[in-house]
Amino acid sequence: MTRAWVELDLGAVRANVRTIRAAAGPGVDVLAVVKADGYGHGAAPVARAALEAGATRLGVATPEEALRLRDAGVTAPVQLLGSFLDDEVDGLLQARAQLTLNDPGDVARASAAARRAGRPVGVHLKVDVGMHRHGVAPGDALDLLAQIARDPALRLEGLMTHLPSPRDEARSRAMLAPFADLVARAARAGLRPPRVHAAASAALFRLPEARFDLVRPGIALVGLDPDPSPAGPALAPALSLRARVTRVLDVAAGEQVGYGGRWTAGRPSRLVLLGVGYGDGLPYALTGAGADVLLQGRRCPLVATVMMDYVLVDATDLPRAPVPGDVATLFGRDGDAFLPLEEQARRAGLIPYALSCGLGARLTRVVRGAEITSASHRRAA
Ligand SMILES: *Cc1c(COP(=O)(O)O)cnc(C)c1O
């Protein structure tokens, strides 16, 4: 047993995909976004669970992420969602990734690479409706769409956009209008991309007009709330961070504790040292931020500075004396108690995405709730 680990609950991922599909409605497909190692949760297991629950496609940010999914045996369509460099395109085709095209140069480079590879590449034309990161202007999209449709080296898979402020419904509706207009103009010109897509997690729940044929959830797959509002969906958090107590120590009232003496015991205190720190991606900014951890199903305050390999927790009020080896929960469920990752992120001044993506390579990864497939039966037998 290691000192600190994350537990990924694949049952939660499957439940979230079902929630997403129910919200998106019939006829709307799900592309599961698993970039940045599935938001720090593990790209391959999250991808597999999402596909088991009905997602049909996957999205990544880098060629290496596409390749790793292929190496893990994933055969579903994988789209590189952002932009690609000249020297990345051949590798992307080898990984059988679909490309997102953001300008006329991308169209030419994708076409040339597909000719080199000797087979067509699936592409999505991206339209910039105001994010100013990726995509062509709506006014330039129709010509490029026609050019892609004419090119036998390119297989048009989709027309897409991405919204910068999905929580701002009025702004998002205004941005979607030229995109929807483009879709209509394309149809009149006889250009019907097989799928039109615009909505990431927050938009798919909030903006029905952003759903089109396909939604692209990332953070919602792993049960982090893209849209913390009472009307938001009930998602199942997929990740817990746990660490074991490595030492128990008593300090007298008035003692200054830890680096810089940043915390002073206001009473005789029993502290526990947990074997997790910023070296594992626990934000240093939780120092002095009023954060708690769970021990024995109860909240205990995190005290002193977050250190590289350790944090200190005030366990004075616990009903049972803690001992080395006890398991604490930094976020996630502990019996009936639940400490949201979102709460730790807020205290650290981070968005939940940044906290989960920053979890460190030193943490052991425990995956629970894998479906027993006939293939894994065969392997186990
Ligand atoms: C990251 C990303 C998503 C997923 O965003 P979430 O907010 O995590 O759902 C969807 N589409 C694109 C283009 C992205 O880059």
Side-chain angles (χ1 to χ4, degrees), residues 181-194:
D181 178 60
L182 166 67
V183 174
R185 280 188 290 126
R188 283 199 295 277
L191 296 163
R192 292 176 197 277

Side-chain angles (χ1 to χ4, degrees), residues 157-192:
E157 288 274 332
L159 178 65
M160 65 186 288
T161 190
H162 191 56
L163 295 166
S165 319
R167 284 157 204 83
D168 184 339
E169 293 179 32
R171 179 164 195 243
S172 296
R173 288 207 177 90
M175 286 183 162
L176 280 172
F179 182 69
D181 178 60
L182 166 67
V183 174
R185 280 188 290 126
R188 283 199 295 277
L191 296 163
R192 292 176 197 277

